């Protein structure tokens, strides 16, 4: 016989209740990057808009940076860690296949036995996390969800590759999602384009090193086999990010039932200032919309970039609580996720 | 009606002016986008996308690398426009 299953009761809606960020102590200027590549400060600035980035020290781990950002987000949300029902961590730079880093974070925060798992969606990871978190709350699986984006991309950077050495940074950003009587998160417009998997990717899979002969792998200037790093086809990524992602951003506005004129804030993934500028132009965003430009001093921190930029805009007054923001992440996969949210 | 080569070069002049701020009259057939017109690899993508829309032509990324001069682009568009 088929029993009648109670579906449980979720909140009517979900919202972002608090945000927190962690930037590693060490600030790395372009001059330091230039020790390993033949380039110039002017070239790096004109191609990326990046002036400085933060690189983590040994004690600034994926877990420790996440704990700091998460603690701030929980305090900002006005809840306590034991109220968190699920911890979702988006990252591509936690070098432990299993267990997930989310379980360590859930434990050390003192959540009790919150559900905890990592998701791998590169620079769209935070957007994927928002979609998952909202679903958990409205379905009744969790009342409060911690969504963290965290990266130590300095570990996955080829310091001798002049096309990428200056791009990446480290850091963690976190938000607490919770129940809401009013809608405060639009539908997520998301997807994947696996036919473009080779456009942004890790140079070599980890298990390549299990095969004894690594003589065909690239070596660095000292003759050592290079550790895997992120590589990308710049022009192809630029074209996709600007012109295809502008369409996705517009779809997210449409799905939320608003227009660009209703927006206060635009927080695209902080990949590159040129992508941001071109995207803003393509989307024809009105002058009054505040644009996140955190990439200038943070670099590209993949899954961490959107919550870090959100935290900074709120802290500096560029954005304020209650503002309507469009967030869009896009990256290796290729994958993307865009949604309209009310800022905490 | 398909554009003539002269019309394509004039159109590219307007596009390069809009994207890179170079005077349209400087955008001549023998000019190199990167060396003469200050169009870097990312601006080149913007030029290509604008040209695709204007001249109703598809220019795949693999073909963009072969477009060194304004003349290269004009000839490509001339032979590929619908």
């Amino acid at each position: 016989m088929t029993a009648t299953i109670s579906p449980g009761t979720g909140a009517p809606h979900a919202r972002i209740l608090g945000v927190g960020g962690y930037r590693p102590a060490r600030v790395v200027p372009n001059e330091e990057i230039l020790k390993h590549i033949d380039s110039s400060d002017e070239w790096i600035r004109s191609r990326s808009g990046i002036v400085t980035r933060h690189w983590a020290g040994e004690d600034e781990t994926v877990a420790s940076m996440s704990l700091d950002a998460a603690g701030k987000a929980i305090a900002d949300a006005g809840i306590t860690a034991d109220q968190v029902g699920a911890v979702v961590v988006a990252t591509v730079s936690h070098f432990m296949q299993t267990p997930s880093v989310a379980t360590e974070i859930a434990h050390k925060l003192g959540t009790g036995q919150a559900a905890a798992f990592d998701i791998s969606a590169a620079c769209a990871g935070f957007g994927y996390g928002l979609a998952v978190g909202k679903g958990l709350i409205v379905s009744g699986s969790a009342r409060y969800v911690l969504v963290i984006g965290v990266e130590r991309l300095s570990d996955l950077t080829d310091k001798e590759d002049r096309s990428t050495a200056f791009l990446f940074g480290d850091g963690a950003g976190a938000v607490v999602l919770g129940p809401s009587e009013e809608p405060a998160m639009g539908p997520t417009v998301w997807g994947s384009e696996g036919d473009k998997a080779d456009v942004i990717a890790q140079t070599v899979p980890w298990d390549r090193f299990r095969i004894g002969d690594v003589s065909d792998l690239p070596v660095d200037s000292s003759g050592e086999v290079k550790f895997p790093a992120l590589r990308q086809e710049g022009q192809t990524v630029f074209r996709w990010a600007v012109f295809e992602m502008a369409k996705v951003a517009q779809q997210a506005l449409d799905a939320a039932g608003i227009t660009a004129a209703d927006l206060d804030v635009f927080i695209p993934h902080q990949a590159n200032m040129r992508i941001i500028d071109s995207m803003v132009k393509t989307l024809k965003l009105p002058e009054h919309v505040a644009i996140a430009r955190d990439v200038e001093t943070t670099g590209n921190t993949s899954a961490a970039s959107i919550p870090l930029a959100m935290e900074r805009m709120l802290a500096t007054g560029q954005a304020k609580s209650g503002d309507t923001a469009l967030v869009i992440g896009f990256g290796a996969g290729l994958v993307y996720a865009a949604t309209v949210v009310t800022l905490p | 009606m398909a554009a003539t080569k002269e019309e394509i070069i004039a159109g590219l002049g307007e596009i390069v002016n809009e994207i890179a701020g170079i005077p349209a009259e400087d955008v001549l057939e023998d000019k190199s986008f990167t060396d003469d017109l200050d169009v870097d690899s990312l601006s080149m993508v913007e030029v290509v996308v604008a040209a695709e829309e204007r001249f109703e032509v598809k220019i795949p990324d693999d073909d963009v690398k072969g477009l060194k001069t304004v003349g290269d682009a004009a000839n490509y568009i001339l032979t590929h426009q619908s």
Side-chain angles (χ1 to χ4, degrees), chain A residues 161-252:
Chain A
D161 177 353
R162 67 189 301 278
S163 70
T164 59
F166 56 88
L167 271 179
F168 301 116
D170 304 337
V175 295
V176 171
L177 307 184
S180 172
E181 291 302 315
E182 304 296 328
M185 296 177 79
T188 296
V189 175
W190 59 348
S192 68
E193 300 180 43
D195 58 318
K196 301 183 183 70
D198 60 346
V199 171
I200 313 171
Q202 184 173 317
T203 48
V204 182
W206 303 119
D207 60 359
R208 180 63 186 78
F209 293 91
R210 292 173 62 194
I211 306 164
D213 182 11
V214 291
S215 58
D216 60 326
L217 295 184
V219 295
D220 64 19
S221 55
S222 61
E224 295 289 323
V225 172
K226 284 184 176 180
F227 192 73
L230 298 172
R231 47 149 283 275
Q232 62 175 4
E233 293 170 26
Q235 281 186 315
T236 305
V237 172
F238 183 80
R239 182 158 163 162
W240 178 77
V242 172
F243 299 101
E244 298 308 313
M245 290 306 99
K247 294 175 195 165
V248 170
Q250 183 60 50
Q251 287 165 15

Side-chain angles (χ1 to χ4, degrees), chain A residues 46-48 233-239 242-243 272 274-275 278 281, chain B residues 18-19 40-46 48-49 52 59-61 64-65:
Chain A
S46 73
R47 295 315 192 282
S48 71
E233 293 170 26
Q235 281 186 315
T236 305
V237 172
F238 183 80
R239 182 158 163 162
V242 172
F243 299 101
N272 177 319
R274 294 282 294 276
I275 290 176
S278 200
K281 202 164 69 179
Chain B
E18 162 77 22
I19 289 165
D40 69 22
S41 63
L42 300 184
S43 294
M44 188 64 193
V45 175
E46 295 180 285
V48 163
V49 172
E52 283 186 337
I59 312 176
D61 290 322
V64 172
K65 294 175 181 64

Side-chain angles (χ1 to χ4, degrees), chain A residues 283-306:
Chain A
L283 274 169
K284 298 186 174 64
L285 292 182
E287 286 283 320
H288 74 263
V289 177
I291 312 295
R293 298 186 185 283
D294 193 39
V295 68
E296 181 178 359
T297 54
T298 304
N300 176 343
T301 57
S302 189
S305 85
I306 291 174

Side-chain angles (χ1 to χ4, degrees), chain A residues 118-169:
Chain A
D118 298 352
I119 56 178
S120 177
C123 306
F126 181 74
Y128 272 57
L130 288 182
V132 170
K134 175 188 171 187
L136 295 175
I137 290 164
V138 299
S139 68
S141 296
R143 188 161 174 82
Y144 296 100
V145 178
L146 186 60
V147 178
I148 300 170
V150 57
E151 303 290 1
R152 272 181 58 124
L153 293 184
S154 59
D155 291 336
L156 279 175
T157 298
D158 180 349
K159 308 286 194 307
E160 297 179 355
D161 177 353
R162 67 189 301 278
S163 70
T164 59
F166 56 88
L167 271 179
F168 301 116

Side-chain angles (χ1 to χ4, degrees), chain B residues 7-29:
Chain B
E7 288 168 342
I8 293 169
I9 291 175
L12 288 171
E14 288 173 24
I15 289 169
V16 171
N17 173 254
E18 162 77 22
I19 289 165
I22 304 294
E25 58 267 28
D26 291 354
V27 182
L28 302 169
E29 184 167 2

